[in-house]
Amino acid sequence: MSRRDVIRVAAAGGVALALSPAAAEAQAAPAASTVTGRVFDDTDGASRPGLAGVLVSNGRDVAVTDADGRYTLPVSDETVVFVVKPSGYMTPVEPGTLLPRFFYVHQPAGSPASLDLAYEGVAPTGPLPASVDFPLRRQEEPKRFDVVVLTDTQPETDAELDFVRDDVIPALRGTPARFGMTLGDLLFDDLSLYDRFNRIVGTVGLPWYSIGGNHDLNYQAPDRRHARETFKRVFGPPHYAFAYADAVFVMLDDVDYLGPDRTKPHDAGKYQGKLDDAQLDFVRNLLAHVPDDKLIVLTLHIPLKTYSGDEASNNLVNRAELLRLLAGRRFTLSMSGHTHTTEHHYLGAEDGFSGPGEHHHHVLTAVSGSWWSGPIDHRGVAVADSRDGTPNGFHILSVDGNRYETRFVPAKEPDGRQIRVSVLGQFHDEMRRDYRPGALLQPRLPARELHAATVVANVFDGGPKTAVTLRIGDADPVPMAKRVAPDPFVAEVYARNEATKKPWVSAAPCSHLYVSRLPALKPGTYPMVVEAVNEYGRTVSTKLALEVEG
């Protein structure tokens, strides 16, 4: 089947876009080079009536279909034209992978041969068709729904792609979520793995949307312009948007590729976190058609802001320009990956967001954790604890109208544990590495060391608005204080398993670590409970037995 056949025939269920009323708006006068086409209802496969009021974009401009479903947009010879899926409808999906097919790549000459790309780019698409059409099929979209959100799956080899298949995918099969998203670094530079990766993710059974990361680039390109040729061939536009129920998802590419860096292995490139002018214009033009009472979910790979240093490679350098486009909106969220840490940021005027309230930016846990480092578990999968001590895993975004919550799902923690508790004596340091692995998790202290002992809790998805308490025995709970420091548990795991981890992996400061000194206790065994209440009012807890020896 040709791509055009797939677009017209391979439909599967739908997701919808909650935009402005369906009244069509006048189209701009055709430019010197334009694309025209029609968006139509293909639900019954026969009458195909045109759909008015649907948004179509060339990646910068946004057109609105007229009463017959027609649109017109300017194009260049390197344009991806796409429909912004409206609420209550779904685009076709590719059989096997369930990748949504909502776009047409117009690149008559294909990817420039002079680039000498290591991985296949876009084949010549030939002349622009007389009409570039987009079929949609009606589907029911509940007000309340879940989305699976992965980031940094990042397999470097087929063996590490086995880890993705065996560690995370089984937990997702049968999920009630309506669709899934991956927020960049799907792979680790070897773009030949896309086909196998997509077929594996396709077994989850959900439509799946993706954006690229810095490890999804064509490094042979001299700059940003042609750095997504392979991604474009496989997934379509590097940035786009779609709607589902009362939420609009804006998928952005903020990896600004600056060209190859010959000092790095495999000619890996230099980059910074930045949105180009076309994407800022796209967001501005898109939001002009989105009512203020809709939830806006921005997704990027590089964070708006991170605790992992202020380098341009880890932060969006023009975040103020993006956040200014959200001015006056009450219902916004942004999510990213990249740093292999878990962070919550609440951005205000100093960051460019004028409100009302704060803008919540959530840096999500990496599926690959410590880049698939660590010892192998009983399934043959790397343990892969992240460098801030968070277990590798993924998140669930739960949407209810224009409200949302996020929830972390660890890949390996028993019973989905959300907190890890360690007890540190004053002298627990490098000299005590001969103690058995895991001793920190089952604390036993001599009474003489009690005065110098500290309880350390890593609340895996904690943030500035998380409140944490410690209760020992029948005593009243006491608040635990936040401390930014490396998680002692993961530091010990890395030290014990140096030969199994990637050379650049080391314990990093954790933004969700909480500490409390132990009170005076008589010798005995005590139940110890750590409880955390997050920004959504949800409570998680864990308990263990504390032994004080006389």
Side-chain angles (χ1 to χ4, degrees), residues 76-79 104-115 117 121-128 225-226 229 232:
S76 72
D77 282 346
E78 294 180 353
T79 300
Y104 177 83
V105 178
H106 175 56
Q107 202 155 328
S111 300
S114 60
L115 295 175
L117 298 178
V122 177
T125 61
L128 191 66
R225 177 179 172 185
H226 292 114
E229 295 299 287
K232 192 193 308 180

Side-chain angles (χ1 to χ4, degrees), residues 421-425 428 440-441 443 445 453-456 518 528 544 546:
V421 177
S422 308
V423 177
L424 297 186
H428 191 98
L440 286 176
L441 301 184
L445 290 171
T454 301
V455 179
V456 180
L518 280 173
M528 185 165 65
L544 66 162
L546 171 66

Side-chain angles (χ1 to χ4, degrees), residues 78-98:
E78 294 180 353
T79 300
V80 186
V81 181
F82 57 89
V83 64
V84 179
K85 183 197 93 55
S87 329
Y89 287 88
M90 182 54 190
T91 65
V93 297
E94 183 176 83
T97 66
L98 301 189

Side-chain angles (χ1 to χ4, degrees), residues 312-363:
S313 59
N314 283 337
N315 298 267
L316 185 67
V317 298
N318 57 347
R319 67 172 172 265
E321 294 177 61
L322 176 63
L323 290 173
R324 277 196 287 270
L325 300 178
L326 301 177
R329 291 186 177 271
R330 295 178 54 208
F331 310 108
T332 66
L333 165 70
S334 58
M335 299 184 294
S336 67
H338 185 57
T339 58
H340 295 243
T341 57
T342 307
E343 305 175 14
H344 291 265
H345 298 270
Y346 297 90
L347 308 180
E350 68 281 4
D351 296 293
F353 184 64
S354 59
E358 299 171 306
H359 174 77
H360 181 195
H361 180 62
H362 195 352
V363 183

Side-chain angles (χ1 to χ4, degrees), residues 28-47:
S33 182
T34 59
V35 61
T36 186
R38 189 164 173 267
V39 180
F40 59 90
D41 187 336
D42 194 38
T43 304
D44 62 14
S47 58

Side-chain angles (χ1 to χ4, degrees), residues 267-281:
D267 293 336
K270 298 172 287 186
Y271 60 89
Q272 62 179 342
K274 186 178 181 180
L275 294 170
D276 59 9
D277 290 342
Q279 291 186 80
L280 292 171
D281 286 346

